[in-house]
Amino acid sequence: MHVSPSVIAELQRTTAPADIPVKAAEQRWAAYAPPGTAALFAGDTLLHTDLAPHNVLVDDRAHIIDWAWPTRGAAWIDPAILILRVLEAGHTLVDADALACRFPSWRTAPAEAKKAFAAANAAAWQEIARTDAAPWKASMAGHAVAFHVHLHAKPGNR
């Protein structure tokens, strides 16, 4: 999988428009987040939340398309979601985390926030996989759970 880090870095500098209704991250994942943690997802960044290879077109530069789930939230959420796509492409948990660390937003995000989001994202994907037996959805749920476990086991994240 190749998603240009520069296009994601550019997106992370984009503030969600105030005059267009966009769901807030703390609302979108509230039902899945550990109790009392959804507020950690808040922010003003415009998030794509589905950085799959088919949602990035590349010509002389990269273009992010298919904005079905635009969200306002913490900038580090898109790199967190990208981690699952990197795992889907066959990379290791360590490689996926290293790619996310290329983004200052991910490097500086509080460990508590990243772990809470990983838990929420895993719960969301598990629900998706329970309601739709498509193999790729079960695979994404597995990746989300594995990354959640990885973050909890990572030194310095306790």
Side-chain angles (χ1 to χ4, degrees):
M1 172 182 172
H2 178 70
V3 174
S4 171
S6 64
V7 73
I8 297 167
E10 182 179 338
L11 178 58
Q12 292 198 317
R13 293 187 299 271
T14 304
T15 302
D19 58 342
I20 298 173
V22 176
K23 193 167 217 172
E26 61 272 26
Q27 294 168 331
R28 181 168 170 192
W29 284 283
Y32 306 104
T37 64
L40 297 170
F41 311 155
D44 290 325
T45 301
L46 177 62
L47 305 171
H48 184 272
T49 72
D50 189 20
L51 293 170
H54 59 273
N55 288 338
V56 181
L57 298 178
V58 179
D59 52 24
D60 58 323
R61 63 170 289 164
H63 305 273
I64 300 173
I65 63 166
D66 187 4
W67 286 83
W69 299 324
T71 303
R72 174 189 320 276
W76 54 265
I77 291 175
D78 267 343
I81 289 171
L82 181 61
I83 286 169
L84 301 187
R85 295 303 183 167
V86 172
L87 294 172
E88 180 184 39
H91 296 277
T92 67
L93 288 161
V94 172
D95 291 342
D97 195 14
L99 174 72
C101 284
R102 293 176 66 181
F103 301 100
S105 64
W106 180 256
R107 284 193 312 271
T108 60
E112 174 190 15
K114 293 191 280 191
K115 288 191 292 187
F117 184 79
N121 207 22
W125 274 108
Q126 287 174 312
E127 181 178 287
I128 290 166
R130 277 193 303 274
T131 60
D132 182 342
W136 75 270
K137 292 179 182 180
S139 178
M140 289 299 285
H143 295 316
V145 168
F147 190 68
H148 178 235
V149 170
H150 171 77
L151 275 184
H152 278 275
K154 192 173 172 181
N157 270 353
R158 297 192 176 143

